[in-house]
Amino acid sequence: MPRQPGLAPDAVSIIEFYPPYNDELAFISLEGFSHIHVIFLFDKVEYTKFRPKVRPPRLGGNVSVGVFATRSPFRPNRLGLSIVKLNKVIREKGKVRLEVSGADLVDGTPIIDIKPYIPFVDSVPDAIGGFASIPPVQYEVVFKDDLDKVLLQALGQRRFEAVVQTLSQDPRPAYKDETDSKDYCAKLYNVDVHFKVVDSNIIVHQVIVNKGELSC
């Protein structure tokens, strides 16, 4: 998945609501907002005790800072917050789903709540971002042996773009550097993408399209 919301704008997701929260009345006027806050649960995190310091990927995974100065999933309540683009409100048979783009969530992530993004309240143009003041470096994604065509045929244009955007953020563990020549595999949609990093390029050298369980 993308490291932060909005970094893979072509990653389209559906937020589903269970009764009684999928009542159409609860979504009246939501179409007037272009973006929403999504409050969710890091349900894949094994949390047993409070960890006051963590090692954020942004600092290379080798520097410890306070957990409340990060967006680490290893937090006391395991709550996460992302801003995503609201593409459309889907109404079917009196029930509602939301199509959003740019989410950084694993499939099946429990959503706690959503709230509209209000620009004049939520946007702070002169805010200071601490150790994350500038956007992350984007790697060039290079496909060997026309594997981009294989991926495009398997996924379609938009999902293909989402995969490229995700790979460009370097999915490796944060402490890896340019001397790392290990082969990595990313599970994206229904494909396994095998890649290496060479001279700040993500080199995709194998793509396996899966119809069942992923292999990597």
Side-chain angles (χ1 to χ4, degrees):
M1 64 180 176
R3 290 192 181 276
Q4 294 289 342
L7 293 183
D10 284 299
V12 176
S13 306
I14 298 294
I15 299 178
E16 297 184 344
F17 296 82
Y18 294 95
Y21 312 111
N22 58 354
D23 189 320
E24 285 188 277
L25 295 177
F27 300 87
I28 293 175
S29 296
L30 185 60
E31 290 98 334
F33 297 89
S34 66
H35 292 73
I36 58 174
H37 295 275
V38 177
I39 303 168
F40 60 92
L41 184 70
F42 288 108
D43 64 316
K44 305 299 183 183
V45 175
E46 294 183 5
Y47 189 88
T48 56
K49 65 179 181 178
F50 177 55
R51 297 170 56 179
K53 298 184 71 177
V54 296
R55 298 182 179 186
R58 191 56 187 270
L59 295 176
N62 294 314
V63 179
S64 294
V65 299
V67 65
F68 295 130
T70 75
R71 297 189 177 193
S72 168
F74 298 98
R75 19 194 3 95
N77 54 23
R78 297 193 298 166
L79 289 179
L81 173 65
S82 293
I83 296 174
V84 299
K85 185 177 185 299
L86 177 61
N87 295 335
K88 58 184 175 181
V89 179
I90 304 170
R91 293 179 170 84
E92 295 178 340
K93 299 180 180 179
K95 308 301 180 183
V96 177
R97 297 180 296 158
L98 303 181
E99 180 187 287
V100 301
S101 58
D104 57 338
L105 309 179
V106 175
D107 187 30
T109 293
I111 305 299
I112 306 300
D113 198 0
I114 65 167
K115 298 177 185 292
Y117 175 89
I118 302 176
F120 78 87
V121 173
D122 297 323
S123 177
V124 186
D126 57 349
I128 297 173
F131 59 79
S133 295
I134 59 175
V137 174
Q138 298 290 302
Y139 282 57
E140 183 74 20
V141 181
V142 179
F143 292 90
K144 297 183 66 177
D145 304 322
D146 290 331
L147 288 175
D148 53 333
K149 296 178 181 179
V150 175
L151 201 59
L152 182 59
Q153 182 177 9
L155 299 178
Q157 185 65 47
R158 187 152 195 179
R159 284 191 170 189
F160 170 79
E161 295 295 341
V163 167
V164 173
Q165 292 160 1
T166 302
L167 291 173
S168 71
Q169 300 164 38
D170 188 3
R172 298 177 302 164
Y175 59 84
K176 297 297 183 179
D177 58 25
E178 299 304 321
T179 64
D180 174 38
S181 60
K182 182 180 176 181
D183 180 28
Y184 289 90
C185 181
K187 303 176 183 179
L188 300 166
Y189 297 109
N190 65 324
V191 297
D192 297 341
V193 180
H194 292 262
F195 67 93
K196 292 184 178 181
V197 177
V198 180
D199 297 329
S200 296
N201 292 322
I202 303 292
I203 309 296
V204 177
H205 60 84
Q206 185 178 20
V207 170
I208 301 175
V209 180
N210 297 281
K211 295 182 180 180
E213 292 294 326
L214 300 180
S215 62
C216 71

